[in-house]
Amino acid sequence: MKEVKIALFGCGNIGTGVYKLIRNNCIKIMDAEGVSIVIKKILVRDLSKKRYADIDESLFTNKIEDILLDKEIDIVAEFIGGESPAKEYILKALNHKKTVVTANKEVIAKHFEALQEAARQNEVGLYYEASVGGGMPIIRAIHQSLQANRIQSVMGIINGTTNYILSKMAEEGREFEDVLSEAKELGYAEPDPTADIEGYDARYKLSILATLCFNKRVQINNILCEGITKITSVDIQYARELGYGVKLLAIAKDTQNSIEVRVHPTFIPINHPLYAVRDAFNAVYIKGDSVGELMFYGRGAGDMPTGSAIVSDIITASTNKHHYVKLVATPDEEIFEDNWLTEYYIRLSVFDKPGVLSKIAGIFAKYNVSITSVLQKARGDVTAPLIFVTHEAHEKAVLSAINEIKKCEYVNSVENLIRVEK
Amino acid sequence: MKEVKIALFGCGNIGTGVYKLIRNNCIKIMDAEGVSIVIKKILVRDLSKKRYADIDESLFTNKIEDILLDKEIDIVAEFIGGESPAKEYILKALNHKKTVVTANKEVIAKHFEALQEAARQNEVGLYYEASVGGGMPIIRAIHQSLQANRIQSVMGIINGTTNYILSKMAEEGREFEDVLSEAKELGYAEPDPTADIEGYDARYKLSILATLCFNKRVQINNILCEGITKITSVDIQYARELGYGVKLLAIAKDTQNSIEVRVHPTFIPINHPLYAVRDAFNAVYIKGDSVGELMFYGRGAGDMPTGSAIVSDIITASTNKHHYVKLVATPDEEIFEDNWLTEYYIRLSVFDKPGVLSKIAGIFAKYNVSITSVLQKARGDVTAPLIFVTHEAHEKAVLSAINEIKKCEYVNSVENLIRVEK
């Protein structure tokens, strides 16, 4: 029986969950994997804070050196979260020849090369299954199950908070601010929800997924990022009439000649597998050239799903003879396409005069943007909603057309602009 | 660079697919995995048969000894299919110290212990990711990603042909025989479709999944198996009215004290993630005690998705220092529960007389089966359809009630009986 000693960096909800999972499953893990995992030390900032009562108090330390200099400790699992000091602690651990397991999407997304290089130089492992999609084994699938594929695209619902909000808006006909307030009260949204609702959290995760799927470094500043704050119940209602749902999607496509990476609210058809992903669930939909379409679905957050992924990484790291370190090329900036082809939903408020449809259709035609559907809705006193869905068109052509439409005398305002994926 | 020499048993569609995938991805595999995979020999029955033109003819042999006795060959990938001679060939390969990669669900399901034991004794590996769910990495996920979970249940759509047929019936309002004929013409169903439509194929796969998920040997004869031949467009129509879809589900549940395993047509609610699995797609929905709900979705068959899983297994087998061999306990027969709790949809044809509903409701009550919904449909000349959905009740109580209902003077016939899962 091999005994592997590990340390935890942090002991909040996830750290406590990991502690419980290792304790509760230790016999099963020994039987199946032939390894006994022993938690030797736990780094915390405040030694006086009350912790989960079952944890032996002698495990706690507030000095990282107690762990770094302990030669018996092979693996460190980090759950501090955020960029700093987590990044420095992870680097220190790698440089002290400890394998690192982390759920820290921000640190992995921002410092991928530095961390992988440190792992390689120190001949230790770096595992981060829990950084994307909670308990869904998406990272391991990309590494270990799709090697015979060129991955062509990834589309994911990888932020649970925004999916919860959009699901509630759709199912209960409520507005964004209303659902967000409730989500904060229920603990589904953070007191400061910016990272979720503006798409930053999804952008970190997409940076990691795209980098691994395409074997090319995709930085967060390569990724277009739009949040869900401008989505209204009216848009969701029109989406349904047109046969779509609205999701915050993280999208990455690699044509070999160009890469497009973007996080934004998106219309998807009701028969798409991602449409059925409701509440706080996550899903990642991948297309590979041999496997075809593949989707992973599960709880993208929460102590226990995240803990499940972390403990799986710890076991894998404990039993692996050889750690897999991913070194990817940094592509030229030019490979990142920003004038992608996409369909668009466009909602206008127009003045209710004869000739308005012909005028606006003329502007779209001028920019070579052709139209799939038009919805003309019941007029108000002076203005009326007018909704277009375009055929596939270049992003910049659509934006130029919209710019001209904004200035058109028939148009009161451009109310919303949402991309469509199929 | 490590060079690994392999042999193929069989060179039909899947074998040819694997040949192409290895050839097309060899550079990528070498770069990422540090291993060069070389196909040294291919076993075929008929040397004179015309094969894929790119394969060097000198690779072919019709003598298994050429492969068994070749000490350079470390890995054999089998795609002969069916039970015999595939089982004997796999055992011979293991006994000649070759690691085996196979997609053969029938052989794995029927001979799990013998094959695992042979692998263990010979210190070689046995890999069968492609045996369930085509390119979906479900086997590896169970082995390598869910170790910190007690898996409580598995529900899968694991036969593409029947899902295709049921999807077409639902979407086009057509009858079973009609869609089946078309599926045969299009090549989606075999000329003899028995194994698919009677649920035998799904039963093999469920035997493998349940054995791995529960760490207890589940034999195919432990599994209740009902096919889809009795499903009519009328049942699908009523399902929709009641808020359900009809799928052939493979279901396994482990309460620790009892195991229930069954393959049968099932009503599932329209908001269940499995409901959205259409056409020939497969999906496996797992509940684990820490990870929660998890679903894998993808193409369950086809040369290239299956080839993707096989090549992934070959690479894993080539790079693994230690092969993971699953030895599971054989539980007492008594642990297999056949009087499970389930809800039921029951469609009767009744004679259109006063008092019929009260009479039948009385019989259900007598057997402690309570009713959730009743649909009374427009009468025919003499008979009328009467549909019940029950609350959760014991299987045997429902069947006893049905037995009495059959004999009731008001009842023309019991038209169908379909279980409901949530």
Side-chain angles (χ1 to χ4, degrees), chain A residues 179-254:
Chain A
V179 178
L180 176 62
S181 303
E182 189 192 75
K184 282 189 205 174
E185 280 166 34
L186 294 169
Y188 293 149
E190 301 283 333
D192 176 0
T194 312
D196 292 318
I197 64 177
E198 295 295 353
Y200 306 150
D201 174 81
R203 184 167 55 169
Y204 292 139
K205 295 168 180 168
L206 184 63
S207 158
I208 298 170
L209 284 178
T211 297
L212 298 178
C213 285
F214 304 153
N215 249 315
K216 290 170 196 145
R217 176 68 169 125
V218 176
Q219 309 259 12
I220 55 172
N221 59 17
N222 299 132
I223 301 173
L224 173 100
C225 184
E226 292 173 10
I228 64 164
T229 56
K230 282 187 288 183
I231 303 297
T232 68
S233 65
V234 168
D235 296 308
I236 293 175
Q237 178 56 39
Y238 291 150
R240 188 175 296 147
E241 283 183 41
L242 292 159
Y244 298 96
V246 184
K247 299 287 180 186
L248 181 69
L249 287 195
I251 300 168
K253 298 181 183 178
D254 181 5

Coordinates of all heavy atoms in Angstrom, one line a residue, chain A residues 179-254:
Chain A
V179 N -34.7 38.8 -10.7 CA -34.2 37.4 -10.5 C -32.8 37.5 -9.8 O -32.5 36.7 -8.9 CB -34.1 36.6 -11.8 CG1 -33.5 35.3 -11.5 CG2 -35.5 36.5 -12.4
L180 N -32.0 38.5 -10.2 CA -30.7 38.6 -9.6 C -30.8 38.9 -8.1 O -30.0 38.3 -7.3 CB -29.9 39.8 -10.3 CG -28.5 40.1 -9.7 CD1 -27.6 38.9 -9.8 CD2 -27.9 41.3 -10.4
S181 N -31.7 39.8 -7.7 CA -31.9 40.1 -6.3 C -32.2 38.8 -5.5 O -31.6 38.5 -4.5 CB -33.0 41.1 -6.0 OG -32.8 42.2 -6.8
E182 N -33.1 38.0 -6.1 CA -33.5 36.8 -5.4 C -32.4 35.8 -5.4 O -32.1 35.2 -4.3 CB -34.7 36.2 -6.2 CG -35.3 35.0 -5.5 CD -36.2 34.2 -6.4 OE1 -35.7 33.5 -7.3 OE2 -37.5 34.3 -6.2
A183 N -31.6 35.7 -6.5 CA -30.5 34.8 -6.5 C -29.4 35.2 -5.4 O -28.8 34.3 -4.8 CB -29.8 34.8 -7.9
K184 N -29.2 36.5 -5.2 CA -28.3 36.9 -4.1 C -28.8 36.5 -2.8 O -28.1 35.9 -1.9 CB -28.2 38.4 -4.1 CG -27.3 39.0 -5.2 CD -27.1 40.5 -5.0 CE -26.7 41.2 -6.2 NZ -26.7 42.7 -6.0
E185 N -30.1 36.7 -2.5 CA -30.7 36.3 -1.3 C -30.6 34.8 -1.0 O -30.3 34.3 0.1 CB -32.2 36.6 -1.2 CG -32.5 38.1 -0.9 CD -33.9 38.4 -1.2 OE1 -34.8 37.5 -1.0 OE2 -34.2 39.6 -1.6
L186 N -30.8 34.0 -2.1 CA -30.7 32.5 -2.0 C -29.3 32.0 -2.0 O -29.0 30.8 -1.8 CB -31.5 31.9 -3.1 CG -33.0 32.1 -3.1 CD1 -33.6 31.6 -4.5 CD2 -33.6 31.4 -2.0
G187 N -28.3 32.9 -2.2 CA -26.9 32.4 -2.2 C -26.5 31.9 -3.5 O -25.4 31.3 -3.7
Y188 N -27.3 32.0 -4.6 CA -26.9 31.5 -5.9 C -26.1 32.5 -6.6 O -25.4 32.2 -7.6 CB -28.2 31.2 -6.8 CG -29.0 30.0 -6.3 CD1 -30.3 30.0 -6.5 CD2 -28.4 28.9 -5.6 CE1 -31.1 28.9 -6.0 CE2 -29.1 27.9 -5.2 CZ -30.5 27.8 -5.4 OH -31.3 26.8 -5.0
A189 N -26.1 33.8 -6.2 CA -25.3 34.8 -6.8 C -24.4 35.4 -5.6 O -24.9 35.5 -4.5 CB -26.1 35.8 -7.5
E190 N -23.2 35.8 -6.0 CA -22.4 36.5 -5.0 C -22.9 37.9 -4.6 O -23.6 38.5 -5.4 CB -21.0 36.7 -5.6 CG -20.3 35.5 -6.1 CD -19.7 34.7 -4.9 OE1 -19.3 35.3 -3.9 OE2 -19.5 33.5 -5.1
P191 N -22.6 38.4 -3.4 CA -23.0 39.8 -3.1 C -22.5 40.8 -4.2 O -23.3 41.6 -4.6 CB -22.2 40.0 -1.8 CG -22.0 38.7 -1.2 CD -21.8 37.7 -2.3
D192 N -21.3 40.6 -4.7 CA -20.9 41.3 -5.9 C -20.9 40.3 -7.1 O -19.9 39.6 -7.2 CB -19.5 42.0 -5.7 CG -19.1 42.6 -7.0 OD1 -19.8 42.6 -8.0 OD2 -18.0 43.2 -7.0
P193 N -21.9 40.4 -7.9 CA -22.1 39.3 -8.9 C -21.4 39.7 -10.2 O -21.5 38.9 -11.2 CB -23.6 39.3 -9.1 CG -24.0 40.7 -8.9 CD -23.1 41.3 -7.9
T194 N -20.6 40.7 -10.3 CA -20.0 41.2 -11.5 C -19.3 40.1 -12.3 O -19.6 40.0 -13.5 CB -18.9 42.3 -11.2 OG1 -19.5 43.3 -10.3 CG2 -18.5 43.0 -12.5
A195 N -18.4 39.3 -11.7 CA -17.7 38.3 -12.4 C -18.6 37.3 -13.2 O -18.2 36.9 -14.3 CB -16.7 37.6 -11.5
D196 N -19.7 37.0 -12.6 CA -20.6 36.1 -13.2 C -21.4 36.8 -14.3 O -21.4 36.4 -15.5 CB -21.6 35.5 -12.2 CG -20.9 34.6 -11.2 OD1 -20.0 33.8 -11.7 OD2 -21.1 34.6 -10.0
I197 N -22.1 37.9 -13.9 CA -23.1 38.4 -14.9 C -22.4 39.2 -16.1 O -23.0 39.3 -17.1 CB -24.1 39.3 -14.2 CG1 -23.5 40.6 -13.6 CG2 -24.9 38.6 -13.2 CD1 -24.5 41.5 -12.9
E198 N -21.2 39.6 -15.9 CA -20.5 40.2 -17.0 C -19.7 39.2 -17.8 O -19.0 39.6 -18.8 CB -19.5 41.3 -16.5 CG -20.2 42.5 -15.8 CD -21.1 43.3 -16.8 OE1 -21.1 43.0 -18.0 OE2 -21.9 44.2 -16.3
G199 N -19.8 37.9 -17.5 CA -19.1 36.9 -18.3 C -17.7 36.7 -18.0 O -17.0 35.8 -18.7
Y200 N -17.1 37.3 -17.0 CA -15.6 37.2 -16.7 C -15.3 35.8 -16.3 O -14.3 35.2 -16.7 CB -15.1 38.2 -15.7 CG -15.5 39.6 -16.0 CD1 -15.7 40.5 -15.0 CD2 -15.6 40.1 -17.3 CE1 -16.0 41.9 -15.2 CE2 -15.9 41.4 -17.6 CZ -16.1 42.3 -16.6 OH -16.4 43.6 -16.8
D201 N -16.1 35.2 -15.4 CA -15.9 33.8 -15.0 C -15.9 32.8 -16.1 O -15.1 32.0 -16.3 CB -17.0 33.5 -13.9 CG -17.0 32.0 -13.5 OD1 -16.2 31.7 -12.6 OD2 -17.7 31.2 -14.1
A202 N -16.9 33.0 -17.0 CA -17.0 32.1 -18.2 C -15.8 32.3 -19.1 O -15.3 31.4 -19.7 CB -18.3 32.4 -19.0
R203 N -15.3 33.6 -19.1 CA -14.1 33.9 -20.0 C -12.9 33.1 -19.5 O -12.1 32.6 -20.3 CB -13.9 35.4 -20.1 CG -12.8 35.7 -21.0 CD -12.7 37.2 -21.3 NE -12.6 38.0 -20.1 CZ -12.4 39.3 -20.1 NH1 -12.2 40.0 -21.2 NH2 -12.4 40.0 -19.0
Y204 N -12.7 33.1 -18.2 CA -11.5 32.3 -17.6 C -11.6 30.9 -18.1 O -10.6 30.3 -18.5 CB -11.5 32.4 -16.1 CG -11.2 33.7 -15.5 CD1 -11.9 34.1 -14.3 CD2 -10.2 34.5 -16.0 CE1 -11.7 35.3 -13.7 CE2 -10.0 35.8 -15.4 CZ -10.7 36.2 -14.3 OH -10.4 37.4 -13.7
K205 N -12.8 30.3 -17.9 CA -13.0 28.9 -18.2 C -12.8 28.6 -19.7 O -12.2 27.6 -20.1 CB -14.3 28.4 -17.7 CG -14.5 28.5 -16.2 CD -15.9 28.3 -15.7 CE -16.1 28.3 -14.2 NZ -17.5 28.4 -13.8
L206 N -13.3 29.6 -20.5 CA -13.2 29.4 -22.0 C -11.7 29.5 -22.4 O -11.3 28.7 -23.3 CB -14.0 30.4 -22.8 CG -14.0 30.2 -24.3 CD1 -14.6 28.8 -24.7 CD2 -14.7 31.3 -25.0
S207 N -11.0 30.3 -21.7 CA -9.5 30.4 -22.0 C -8.9 29.1 -21.8 O -8.1 28.6 -22.6 CB -8.9 31.5 -21.1 OG -7.5 31.3 -21.0
I208 N -9.2 28.4 -20.7 CA -8.6 27.1 -20.4 C -9.1 26.0 -21.4 O -8.3 25.3 -22.0 CB -9.0 26.7 -18.9 CG1 -8.4 27.7 -17.9 CG2 -8.5 25.3 -18.6 CD1 -9.0 27.5 -16.5
L209 N -10.4 26.0 -21.6 CA -10.9 25.0 -22.6 C -10.3 25.1 -24.0 O -9.9 24.1 -24.6 CB -12.5 25.1 -22.7 CG -13.3 24.5 -21.5 CD1 -14.8 24.8 -21.8 CD2 -13.0 23.0 -21.3
A210 N -10.3 26.4 -24.5 CA -9.9 26.6 -25.8 C -8.4 26.3 -25.9 O -7.9 25.6 -26.9 CB -10.1 28.0 -26.3
T211 N -7.6 26.6 -24.9 CA -6.2 26.4 -24.9 C -5.9 24.8 -25.0 O -5.1 24.4 -25.8 CB -5.5 26.9 -23.7 OG1 -5.6 28.4 -23.7 CG2 -4.0 26.6 -23.6
L212 N -6.7 24.1 -24.2 CA -6.5 22.6 -24.2 C -7.0 22.0 -25.5 O -6.4 21.1 -26.1 CB -7.2 22.0 -23.0 CG -6.6 22.5 -21.6 CD1 -7.4 21.8 -20.5 CD2 -5.1 22.2 -21.5
C213 N -8.2 22.4 -25.9 CA -8.8 21.8 -27.1 C -8.0 22.0 -28.4 O -7.9 21.2 -29.2 CB -10.2 22.3 -27.3 SG -11.4 21.7 -26.1
F214 N -7.5 23.2 -28.5 CA -6.9 23.6 -29.8 C -5.4 23.5 -29.7 O -4.7 23.7 -30.7 CB -7.3 25.0 -30.2 CG -8.7 25.3 -30.3 CD1 -9.3 26.5 -30.1 CD2 -9.6 24.2 -30.6 CE1 -10.6 26.8 -30.2 CE2 -11.0 24.5 -30.7 CZ -11.5 25.7 -30.5
N215 N -4.8 23.2 -28.5 CA -3.4 23.1 -28.4 C -2.7 24.4 -28.8 O -1.6 24.4 -29.3 CB -2.8 22.0 -29.3 CG -2.3 20.8 -28.4 OD1 -1.6 21.1 -27.4 ND2 -2.7 19.6 -28.8
K216 N -3.4 25.5 -28.5 CA -2.8 26.8 -28.8 C -3.2 27.7 -27.7 O -4.4 27.7 -27.3 CB -3.4 27.4 -30.1 CG -2.9 26.7 -31.4 CD -3.7 27.1 -32.6 CE -3.6 26.1 -33.8 NZ -4.8 26.0 -34.6
R217 N -2.3 28.5 -27.2 CA -2.6 29.4 -26.1 C -3.6 30.4 -26.4 O -3.4 31.3 -27.3 CB -1.3 30.0 -25.6 CG -1.5 31.0 -24.4 CD -1.9 30.3 -23.2 NE -1.8 31.2 -22.0 CZ -2.8 31.5 -21.2 NH1 -4.0 30.9 -21.4 NH2 -2.7 32.4 -20.2
V218 N -4.8 30.4 -25.7 CA -5.8 31.4 -25.9 C -5.9 32.2 -24.6 O -6.2 31.7 -23.6 CB -7.2 30.7 -26.2 CG1 -8.3 31.8 -26.3 CG2 -7.1 29.9 -27.5
Q219 N -5.5 33.5 -24.7 CA -5.5 34.3 -23.5 C -6.9 34.9 -23.3 O -7.6 35.1 -24.3 CB -4.5 35.5 -23.8 CG -3.1 35.1 -24.2 CD -2.1 35.1 -23.1 OE1 -2.5 35.2 -21.9 NE2 -0.9 35.0 -23.5
I220 N -7.1 35.4 -22.1 CA -8.4 36.0 -21.8 C -8.6 37.2 -22.7 O -9.8 37.5 -23.1 CB -8.7 36.2 -20.3 CG1 -7.6 37.1 -19.7 CG2 -8.9 34.9 -19.6 CD1 -8.0 37.5 -18.3
N221 N -7.6 38.0 -22.9 CA -7.8 39.2 -23.8 C -8.0 38.9 -25.3 O -8.2 39.8 -26.0 CB -6.7 40.3 -23.5 CG -5.3 39.7 -23.8 OD1 -5.2 38.7 -24.5 ND2 -4.3 40.3 -23.4
N222 N -7.9 37.7 -25.6 CA -8.2 37.3 -27.0 C -9.8 37.1 -27.1 O -10.3 36.9 -28.2 CB -7.6 36.0 -27.4 CG -6.1 36.0 -27.4 OD1 -5.4 35.2 -26.9 ND2 -5.5 37.1 -28.0
I223 N -10.4 37.0 -26.0 CA -11.8 36.6 -26.0 C -12.8 37.8 -25.9 O -12.7 38.5 -24.9 CB -12.1 35.6 -24.8 CG1 -11.2 34.4 -24.9 CG2 -13.5 35.2 -24.7 CD1 -11.2 33.4 -23.7
L224 N -13.7 37.9 -26.8 CA -14.8 38.9 -26.7 C -15.7 38.5 -25.5 O -16.0 37.3 -25.4 CB -15.6 38.9 -28.0 CG -16.9 39.7 -27.9 CD1 -16.7 41.1 -28.6 CD2 -18.1 39.0 -28.5
C225 N -16.1 39.4 -24.7 CA -16.8 39.1 -23.5 C -18.0 40.1 -23.3 O -17.8 41.3 -23.1 CB -15.9 39.1 -22.3 SG -16.7 38.6 -20.8
E226 N -19.2 39.6 -23.4 CA -20.4 40.4 -23.1 C -21.2 39.6 -22.1 O -21.4 38.4 -22.2 CB -21.3 40.6 -24.4 CG -20.6 41.4 -25.4 CD -21.4 41.5 -26.7 OE1 -22.6 41.0 -26.8 OE2 -20.9 42.0 -27.7
G227 N -21.8 40.3 -21.1 CA -22.6 39.7 -20.1 C -24.0 39.7 -20.4 O -24.4 39.9 -21.6
I228 N -24.8 39.4 -19.4 CA -26.3 39.2 -19.6 C -27.1 40.3 -19.1 O -28.4 40.2 -19.1 CB -26.8 37.8 -19.0 CG1 -26.7 37.9 -17.5 CG2 -26.0 36.6 -19.6 CD1 -27.5 36.8 -16.8
T229 N -26.5 41.4 -18.7 CA -27.3 42.5 -18.0 C -28.3 43.1 -18.9 O -29.2 43.7 -18.5 CB -26.3 43.5 -17.4 OG1 -25.5 44.0 -18.5 CG2 -25.4 42.9 -16.4
K230 N -28.1 43.0 -20.3 CA -29.0 43.7 -21.2 C -30.1 42.8 -21.7 O -31.0 43.3 -22.5 CB -28.2 44.3 -22.4 CG -27.5 45.6 -22.0 CD -26.9 46.2 -23.2 CE -25.7 45.5 -23.7 NZ -24.9 46.1 -24.8
I231 N -30.2 41.6 -21.2 CA -31.2 40.7 -21.7 C -32.5 41.0 -20.9 O -32.5 41.1 -19.7 CB -30.9 39.2 -21.4 CG1 -29.5 38.8 -22.1 CG2 -32.0 38.2 -21.8 CD1 -29.6 38.9 -23.6
T232 N -33.6 41.1 -21.6 CA -34.9 41.4 -21.0 C -35.9 40.3 -21.2 O -35.7 39.4 -22.1 CB -35.5 42.7 -21.6 OG1 -35.9 42.4 -22.9 CG2 -34.6 43.9 -21.6
S233 N -36.9 40.3 -20.4 CA -37.9 39.2 -20.6 C -38.6 39.3 -22.0 O -39.0 38.3 -22.5 CB -39.0 39.3 -19.5 OG -39.7 40.5 -19.6
V234 N -38.6 40.5 -22.6 CA -39.2 40.7 -23.9 C -38.3 39.9 -24.9 O -38.8 39.2 -25.8 CB -39.2 42.2 -24.3 CG1 -39.5 42.4 -25.7 CG2 -40.3 42.9 -23.4
D235 N -37.0 40.0 -24.8 CA -36.1 39.2 -25.7 C -36.3 37.7 -25.6 O -36.3 37.0 -26.6 CB -34.6 39.6 -25.5 CG -34.3 41.0 -25.7 OD1 -34.6 41.5 -26.8 OD2 -33.7 41.7 -24.8
I236 N -36.5 37.3 -24.4 CA -36.7 35.9 -24.1 C -38.0 35.4 -24.7 O -38.1 34.3 -25.3 CB -36.6 35.6 -22.6 CG1 -35.1 35.8 -22.2 CG2 -37.0 34.1 -22.3 CD1 -34.9 35.6 -20.7
Q237 N -39.0 36.3 -24.6 CA -40.3 36.0 -25.2 C -40.2 35.9 -26.7 O -40.8 34.9 -27.3 CB -41.3 37.1 -24.8 CG -42.7 37.0 -25.3 CD -43.3 35.6 -25.0 OE1 -43.2 35.1 -23.9 NE2 -44.1 35.1 -26.0
Y238 N -39.6 36.8 -27.3 CA -39.4 36.8 -28.8 C -38.6 35.6 -29.2 O -38.9 35.0 -30.3 CB -38.8 38.1 -29.3 CG -39.7 39.3 -29.2 CD1 -39.2 40.6 -29.0 CD2 -41.1 39.2 -29.3 CE1 -40.0 41.7 -28.9 CE2 -41.9 40.3 -29.2 CZ -41.3 41.5 -29.0 OH -42.1 42.6 -28.9
A239 N -37.5 35.3 -28.4 CA -36.7 34.1 -28.7 C -37.6 32.9 -28.8 O -37.6 32.1 -29.8 CB -35.7 33.9 -27.6
R240 N -38.5 32.7 -27.9 CA -39.4 31.6 -27.9 C -40.3 31.5 -29.1 O -40.5 30.5 -29.7 CB -40.2 31.6 -26.6 CG -41.0 30.3 -26.3 CD -41.7 30.3 -25.0 NE -40.7 30.3 -23.9 CZ -40.9 30.9 -22.7 NH1 -42.0 31.6 -22.5 NH2 -40.0 30.8 -21.8
E241 N -40.8 32.7 -29.4 CA -41.7 32.8 -30.6 C -41.0 32.3 -31.9 O -41.5 31.8 -32.8 CB -42.2 34.2 -30.8 CG -43.4 34.6 -29.9 CD -43.9 36.0 -30.2 OE1 -44.0 36.3 -31.4 OE2 -44.1 36.7 -29.2
L242 N -39.7 32.6 -31.9 CA -38.8 32.3 -33.1 C -38.2 30.9 -33.0 O -37.6 30.5 -33.9 CB -37.7 33.4 -33.2 CG -38.2 34.8 -33.6 CD1 -37.1 35.8 -33.2 CD2 -38.5 34.9 -35.1
G243 N -38.5 30.2 -31.9 CA -38.0 28.8 -31.8 C -36.6 28.7 -31.1 O -35.8 27.8 -31.3
Y244 N -36.3 29.7 -30.3 CA -34.9 29.7 -29.6 C -35.1 29.9 -28.1 O -36.1 30.3 -27.6 CB -34.1 30.9 -30.1 CG -33.8 30.9 -31.6 CD1 -34.6 31.6 -32.5 CD2 -32.7 30.1 -32.1 CE1 -34.3 31.6 -33.8 CE2 -32.4 30.1 -33.4 CZ -33.2 30.8 -34.3 OH -32.9 30.8 -35.6
G245 N -34.0 29.6 -27.4 CA -33.8 30.0 -26.0 C -32.6 30.9 -25.9 O -31.8 30.9 -26.8
V246 N -32.5 31.6 -24.8 CA -31.3 32.5 -24.6 C -30.4 31.9 -23.5 O -30.8 31.6 -22.4 CB -31.8 33.9 -24.2 CG1 -30.6 34.9 -24.1 CG2 -32.8 34.4 -25.2
K247 N -29.1 31.8 -23.9 CA -28.1 31.2 -22.9 C -26.9 32.1 -23.0 O -26.6 32.6 -24.0 CB -27.7 29.8 -23.3 CG -28.9 28.8 -23.3 CD -29.3 28.4 -21.9 CE -30.4 27.4 -21.9 NZ -30.9 27.2 -20.5
L248 N -26.1 32.2 -21.9 CA -24.8 32.8 -21.9 C -23.9 31.7 -22.4 O -23.6 30.7 -21.7 CB -24.4 33.3 -20.6 CG -23.0 34.0 -20.6 CD1 -23.0 35.3 -21.4 CD2 -22.4 34.2 -19.2
L249 N -23.4 31.8 -23.7 CA -22.5 30.7 -24.2 C -21.1 31.2 -24.3 O -20.8 32.3 -24.6 CB -23.0 30.3 -25.6 CG -24.2 29.5 -25.8 CD1 -24.3 28.9 -27.2 CD2 -24.4 28.4 -24.8
A250 N -20.2 30.3 -24.0 CA -18.8 30.4 -24.2 C -18.5 29.6 -25.5 O -18.7 28.4 -25.5 CB -18.0 29.9 -23.1
I251 N -18.0 30.3 -26.5 CA -17.9 29.7 -27.8 C -16.4 29.8 -28.3 O -15.8 30.8 -28.3 CB -18.8 30.4 -28.9 CG1 -20.3 30.3 -28.4 CG2 -18.6 29.8 -30.3 CD1 -21.2 31.2 -29.2
A252 N -15.9 28.6 -28.8 CA -14.5 28.7 -29.4 C -14.6 27.8 -30.6 O -15.1 26.7 -30.6 CB -13.5 28.1 -28.4
K253 N -14.0 28.4 -31.7 CA -14.0 27.6 -33.0 C -12.6 27.7 -33.5 O -12.0 28.8 -33.5 CB -15.0 28.2 -34.0 CG -16.4 28.1 -33.5 CD -17.4 28.6 -34.5 CE -18.8 28.6 -34.0 NZ -19.8 29.2 -34.9
D254 N -12.1 26.6 -34.1 CA -10.8 26.6 -34.7 C -10.9 26.0 -36.1 O -11.2 24.9 -36.3 CB -9.8 25.7 -33.8 CG -8.4 25.7 -34.4 OD1 -8.1 26.4 -35.3 OD2 -7.6 24.9 -33.8

